[in-house]
Amino acid sequence: MSHVLIAGASRGIGLGLTQAYLARGDHVTAIARHPQAATGLNALQTQYPTHLHTIACDLNDPNAGTIIVRALSHKTLERVILNASVSGPEDQAASHLAPADITDVFLTNAVAPLRLAQTLRPLVPRGGVLAFTSSILGSVELGLSPELGLYGASKAALNSLIRKWATEQGDALDIHLLALHPGWVRTDMGGPNATLSVEESVSGLVRVIEQAAGTTGCDFFDHQGQRLPW
């Protein structure tokens, strides 16, 4: 039985991961901006009253990590999954982007997750896993979608920050850092024409995360366990 923290758990992949880990018998701390208004989380709370704990927190708040650590009372976290992200404006041509759009996407998708991970890192024991929801669009080699250039650039920035952080830890890195591409999933972000259901994506993501448990490193995988080029 593990203690799993999932950020961005109110819907979509985050909610699916919450449900999957609860079904395994794990304890889950679910982070959402407004958990009491999240229908799916409330249903899971009723189903798993002793195994699900929620924390209300805006992950873009510079103090988010401190708020979460205090709420956890310094409990250990065998798994941390940082899932929240935004797709950004519909028109992502560089010439059309407003400064506020750029700031919001890069803060939410790259800076805030890394900042939170660094604060939570002392709670993750040796052999634990700290995973980030990235995207194949964040691969500099593969992510060539012209429609989502800003989103892809933010995920490339996330990947770069993860790798830099792993390098900075050096021999002290005794956990596994993962950047994960969930696939094209039928969520509010992915749309109704996406190729994967939430359940299919989540099943693969959990398998990849659990296979990384007990090992160390910094890797970029898709939901099927295929290694992706940074």
Side-chain angles (χ1 to χ4, degrees):
M1 184 186 300
S2 298
H3 184 189
V4 184
L5 182 140
I6 300 172
S10 63
R11 58 182 180 173
I13 294 169
L15 181 62
L17 285 165
T18 301
Q19 183 170 15
Y21 272 102
L22 288 169
R24 281 166 42 94
D26 296 309
H27 287 277
V28 176
T29 295
I31 313 297
R33 188 172 297 177
H34 303 292
Q36 298 307 316
T39 304
L41 275 182
N42 288 331
L44 290 176
Q45 186 74 76
T46 300
Q47 187 176 358
Y48 299 97
T50 63
H51 281 61
L52 176 60
H53 174 58
T54 61
I55 299 174
C57 186
D58 182 348
L59 300 180
N60 285 354
D61 184 339
N63 297 314
T66 301
I67 293 168
I68 293 169
V69 169
R70 286 175 179 169
L72 289 170
S73 300
H74 299 279
K75 295 183 177 71
T76 58
L77 299 168
E78 284 76 23
R79 311 284 183 267
V80 173
I81 307 171
L82 305 181
N83 171 68
S85 63
V86 294
S87 59
E90 184 174 349
D91 184 354
Q92 299 200 357
S95 58
H96 298 165
L97 292 172
D101 292 330
I102 298 169
T103 300
D104 182 55
V105 172
F106 272 81
L107 174 60
T108 302
N109 293 356
V111 177
L114 194 280
R115 184 169 59 197
L116 179 55
Q118 290 176 329
T119 304
L120 296 177
R121 172 68 175 88
L123 303 183
V124 184
R126 178 186 297 271
V129 179
L130 207 164
F132 303 78
T133 299
S134 184
S135 170
I136 196 171
L137 299 180
S139 167
V140 176
E141 181 176 337
L142 301 178
L144 302 177
S145 170
E147 294 83 11
L148 291 172
L150 178 64
Y151 175 79
S154 72
K155 291 300 188 179
L158 172 64
N159 289 355
S160 178
L161 289 170
I162 295 168
R163 293 189 71 191
K164 181 176 183 295
W165 185 37
T167 300
E168 290 170 348
Q169 293 183 69
D171 293 340
L173 182 63
D174 60 357
I175 65 172
H176 214 124
L177 300 179
L178 293 177
L180 298 173
H181 169 53
W184 187 21
V185 188
R186 292 190 291 276
T187 62
D188 290 345
M189 183 182 295
N193 297 321
T195 55
L196 294 172
S197 68
V198 169
E199 293 75 18
E200 289 169 327
S201 173
V202 163
S203 175
L205 292 174
V206 171
R207 185 166 54 251
V208 173
I209 291 168
E210 293 309 308
Q211 286 175 346
T215 66
T216 63
C218 179
D219 292 292
F220 185 16
F221 292 118
D222 69 9
H223 73 288
Q224 296 177 312
Q226 299 291 324
R227 187 178 300 276
L228 298 175
W230 294 99

